[in-house]
Amino acid sequence: MNNDSTGKPIITSDPWSKLRTFTDARIALGRCGTSLPVKESLEFKLAHARARDAVLVPADMVSLANQLELQGYSTIQLESSVVDRMEYLVRPDKGRLLSETSSIALQHHGQRNFDIGITVCDGLSGPAIHENAYEGVSGFLECVAKTELRVAPVCLVTNGRVAIGDEIGHLLGCKMMILLVGERPGLSSSNSLGAYITYEPKPGITDEARNCISNIRTGGMSIAEGVRKITYLVESGLALGKTGVELKDKMSSSYLPLQGLIPSL
């Protein structure tokens, strides 16, 4: 029923409602009397539930490892120093450090001194990993395969935060670290993947030394465009010898991934 007993519409539309075709943000929702319409109220509760699930449902790193290894990519499964998900949420400092077991495993890894390291962390969104990580990692590695860059095994970290990539990159001797992480979910995007690019990673460096790409997902920045942007920052960072505030994003619309690093035929 769309009208009341007098024939007037039950829902009072918002004059800005046309803007909703351009964004998933909750704007111009209209009203029913002095309250939100029931449909909008229920959709808000559903979005909130999805955001909570994104944080609490663990990412399936085993499946991601299997997918990558089926394509011929080596992986290493690691964990941060937190004991469980609840500690992860209240102790961000421990999420930035490898567990003793994982640290020892990397210290005894037979190979090091790579040009590029790739780390995938569940972060605050398991769906971001399930929906975007495989395509992002494999897309980047397909670009790198055309170059002579040495790439470390893909490190998959449970209960990790961004800075844990610094320790991993340092232990493996990586010149550049790319860290993909599930971003803090919002009410319109519980599956966003973030990418952090850091030159010469090592424990103790701060966020001004990284470049960040955010909102990689269907409905945000496409994975293909995210991979293109990552390759641009990696290529530019290697040439400059720096990332972070000293590396500006000047990618042109005609940029082709890593073309400057492909050996001439």
Side-chain angles (χ1 to χ4, degrees):
M1 185 171 64
N2 297 321
N3 300 322
D4 63 14
S5 58
T6 66
K8 293 181 179 179
I10 294 175
I11 307 297
T12 302
S13 62
D14 189 289
W16 288 11
S17 58
K18 290 183 179 178
L19 296 179
R20 298 189 67 182
T21 60
F22 301 107
T23 177
D24 293 329
R26 283 184 161 72
I27 61 171
L29 302 179
R31 62 182 174 82
C32 181
T34 58
S35 302
L36 281 176
V38 171
K39 175 176 178 294
E40 302 297 344
S41 178
L42 292 175
E43 288 186 351
F44 175 85
K45 292 178 180 177
L46 177 60
H48 186 250
R50 284 175 173 157
R52 287 177 59 87
D53 284 350
V55 173
L56 298 175
V57 174
D60 188 350
M61 292 298 192
V62 174
S63 292
L64 178 57
N66 290 337
Q67 283 182 289
L68 291 169
E69 290 178 0
L70 280 174
Q71 296 301 314
Y73 303 128
S74 299
T75 65
I76 303 174
Q77 295 203 46
L78 304 169
E79 58 186 12
S80 72
S81 62
V82 305
V83 297
D84 56 35
R85 194 63 175 170
M86 294 313 297
E87 186 180 48
Y88 174 80
L89 295 176
V90 299
R91 290 292 304 272
D93 57 322
K94 298 183 75 173
R96 300 182 184 115
L97 301 173
L98 288 171
S99 69
E100 183 176 357
T101 301
S102 293
S103 178
I104 291 173
L106 286 187
Q107 291 172 34
H108 289 84
H109 189 267
Q111 295 177 304
R112 55 190 66 252
N113 298 327
F114 299 95
D115 294 305
I116 298 174
I118 302 175
T119 297
V120 179
C121 284
D122 47 5
L124 289 168
S125 175
I129 303 303
H130 299 153
E131 298 176 25
N132 308 307
Y134 170 73
E135 193 174 343
V137 172
S138 59
F140 177 79
L141 289 175
E142 287 175 11
C143 296
V144 174
K146 302 172 185 175
T147 74
E148 296 179 341
L149 294 172
R150 295 186 69 231
V151 183
V154 181
C155 293
L156 309 176
V157 185
T158 300
N159 289 326
R161 293 182 183 267
V162 171
I164 205 166
D166 301 335
E167 183 178 2
I168 294 170
H170 180 67
L171 290 173
L172 289 176
C174 297
K175 191 177 294 181
M176 184 78 77
M177 172 56 70
I178 301 166
L179 183 133
L180 303 178
V181 61
E183 294 183 329
R184 185 185 304 277
L187 291 175
S188 58
S189 58
S190 59
N191 59 348
S192 289
L193 190 72
Y196 291 80
I197 298 96
T198 309
Y199 186 76
E200 291 189 343
K202 56 186 175 184
I205 64 173
T206 54
D207 288 343
E208 50 80 31
R210 325 182 195 283
N211 289 81
C212 175
I213 305 168
S214 184
N215 199 29
I216 302 172
R217 66 183 178 93
T218 302
M221 179 182 289
S222 70
I223 297 175
E225 183 63 12
V227 168
R228 203 165 77 100
K229 184 75 73 177
I230 291 169
T231 57
Y232 169 80
L233 292 171
V234 167
E235 186 172 2
S236 301
L238 288 172
L240 184 65
K242 296 174 182 175
T243 50
V245 296
E246 298 187 75
L247 174 59
K248 305 302 181 187
D249 181 2
K250 299 179 181 178
M251 188 179 81
S252 69
S253 58
S254 61
Y255 171 75
L256 295 175
L258 304 180
Q259 287 295 297
L261 297 175
I262 298 176
S264 56
L265 298 176

